[in-house]
Amino acid sequence: MRKKDVLFKLFYSTFYLSTFTFGGGYVIVTLMKQKFVDELHWIEEDEMLDLVAIAQSAPGPIAINGAISVGYKIAGIPGAGIAVLGCALPPLIILSIISFFYQMFIENLLIQLLLSGMQAGVGALIASVVIDMIIGMDKSLLSYAILIGAFIANYFFDINVAYIILFCILLGIILSKRRKKA
């Protein structure tokens, strides 16, 4: 496939996903996996999990970070730029329209019911992302210990996710250096 065609398909895919995805970045990550791993076969599933991990740990919106990671993996710097443009344009357009008609939207009962129903669907999609990530994760005892420890630290002890991520990065560096020595 020509680079121009790849860039167009990348733009169209991220634009389409961003247009019809409600609920934030974690939802779009699942749909990106379905599109770029399962449908187009541009990325392997393990690579996608790595790209998601990078997108989650980088500052900024996960949808944009995911688009950068996937776009760069597929087509380098032009791919990252095209994917970000495709991902950012739909919310910009939609929010511009909504802000223009805000008063009419906020008073419309049908819109209120629609948004309430979408919240339930978003919860299910986020659960799907978590399950996919657990299934694709390394099956070592250490991986499960880190997963459970991170959950407990955040949920029960209210430790900020940024500190948990930094701890996991530090732990990953230490473990990789240990493996190189062995």
Side-chain angles (χ1 to χ4, degrees), residues 3-174:
K3 184 152 181 139
K4 184 178 174 183
D5 295 336
V6 169
L7 289 174
F8 177 76
K9 188 144 187 120
L10 180 62
F11 174 80
Y12 175 77
S13 297
T14 54
F15 188 89
Y16 178 83
L17 290 173
S18 184
T19 300
F20 297 105
T21 302
F22 295 92
Y26 292 104
V27 175
I28 200 169
V29 166
T30 301
L31 299 175
M32 282 180 158
K33 183 229 176 244
Q34 289 174 351
K35 185 69 167 179
F36 298 117
V37 175
D38 300 335
E39 185 182 322
L40 296 173
H41 306 289
W42 284 353
I43 302 174
E44 297 294 320
E45 189 161 352
D46 290 346
E47 290 176 306
M48 188 66 189
L49 288 173
D50 291 341
L51 295 175
V52 169
I54 291 167
Q56 287 174 325
S57 59
I62 190 170
I64 296 294
N65 292 342
I68 291 169
S69 300
V70 168
Y72 185 79
K73 174 70 179 158
I74 292 169
I77 292 174
I82 288 292
V84 167
L85 188 63
C87 190
L89 275 178
L92 181 66
I93 293 167
I94 292 168
L95 287 175
S96 296
I97 293 168
I98 288 173
S99 67
F100 187 74
F101 296 105
Y102 178 75
Q103 200 58 40
M104 287 183 349
F105 278 129
I106 201 69
E107 295 172 358
N108 188 321
L109 180 63
L110 183 62
I111 298 290
Q112 291 174 359
L113 294 173
L114 177 74
L115 292 174
S116 295
M118 287 170 47
Q119 287 178 340
V122 167
L125 285 171
I126 290 173
S128 172
V129 169
V130 170
I131 291 168
D132 284 348
M133 290 179 75
I134 289 172
I135 289 170
M137 133 182 137
D138 179 27
K139 303 294 188 225
S140 71
L141 184 61
L142 179 62
S143 294
Y144 285 113
I146 292 170
L147 173 74
I148 293 167
F151 174 78
I152 290 170
N154 180 259
Y155 189 78
F156 292 108
F157 296 107
D158 203 27
I159 295 175
N160 189 314
V161 175
Y163 296 130
I164 295 169
I165 291 171
L166 289 173
F167 175 77
C168 289
I169 290 170
L170 181 64
L171 185 62
I173 292 169
I174 292 168

